[in-house]
Amino acid sequence: MAATLIGVLAGSLLTSRTDRMHWSRDKQIEACAAIVAESTRIQLALRRAWRHGDPVDWVPWNVALGTIWLVGSPAVVTAAATMDQVFWDHRNQFIQQTATSEATWNEARDLMEAARLDFINAARLHVDPRHNKLTQVPVSRPPLHQATGPSTGPPPTGRATPDTSSA
């Protein structure tokens, strides 16, 4: 009888531990997905602020940051903080509409997207260390040096180059 009781207790402890690990991993993945989604929304909001004077709602971004601070690993939190810094470094020129050219936007956009890619790689490696690093930003457009240079045909994926005026 004692062996049965010990077996039930050990099984209960292992199940509880596994459940907590799964819950924690699920929360980390949800928090990382929110950061990626909100960073894209903020980038587009900054573009609309610059081009049309639309307000930027920072609340969802700050909520996503707070969540990643609660459940993220140190590397993931650092990558999110870097992305936040890029937004803050460029916000005034777009919110106050002082950016002078499309080239200014393109440079800021590339910094935002590079920070997003660094975050995605940090999150991927934390979730599963067997993941390889990604090298392409999660948008379908050529890099800045191709976007502003002479037309060289479609990007390597073979897809037509999308209009970059709104991204």
Side-chain angles (χ1 to χ4, degrees):
M1 182 167 185
T4 303
L5 187 56
I6 291 172
V8 169
L9 183 59
S12 175
L13 290 174
L14 288 175
T15 299
S16 176
R17 180 174 178 243
T18 300
D19 287 347
R20 281 192 311 272
M21 287 174 36
H22 284 277
W23 179 87
S24 178
R25 179 186 159 115
D26 288 346
K27 291 300 174 190
Q28 291 171 4
I29 291 170
E30 288 172 16
C32 289
I35 288 286
V36 172
E38 287 303 319
S39 67
T40 300
R41 187 190 62 76
I42 286 292
Q43 178 180 328
L44 295 173
L46 288 172
R47 171 78 182 186
R48 285 189 306 275
W50 176 49
R51 301 305 283 169
H52 307 291
D54 294 352
V56 176
D57 180 7
W58 292 96
V59 172
W61 170 247
N62 289 328
V63 168
L65 284 175
T67 303
I68 206 71
W69 256 253
L70 288 172
V71 299
S73 71
V76 171
V77 169
T78 298
T82 299
M83 197 176 349
D84 187 51
Q85 186 63 50
V86 170
F87 289 141
W88 283 99
D89 288 347
H90 294 92
R91 75 188 185 287
N92 284 342
Q93 65 182 332
F94 299 118
I95 292 172
Q96 296 173 4
Q97 298 176 312
T98 59
T100 58
S101 69
E102 216 38 61
T104 302
W105 168 257
N106 289 342
E107 290 172 22
R109 176 202 61 206
D110 278 9
L111 290 171
M112 290 178 222
E113 291 176 358
R116 185 179 301 114
L117 180 60
D118 289 344
F119 174 82
I120 289 169
N121 280 320
R124 285 170 52 88
L125 292 173
H126 176 71
V127 168
D128 186 349
R130 297 172 296 177
H131 277 140
N132 294 324
K133 279 190 155 188
L134 300 175
T135 57
Q136 182 175 343
V137 295
V139 293
S140 58
R141 63 161 184 79
L144 178 60
H145 69 278
Q146 290 178 3
T148 59
S151 178
T152 58
T157 60
R159 293 179 287 195
T161 304
D163 176 18
T164 59
S165 63
S166 63

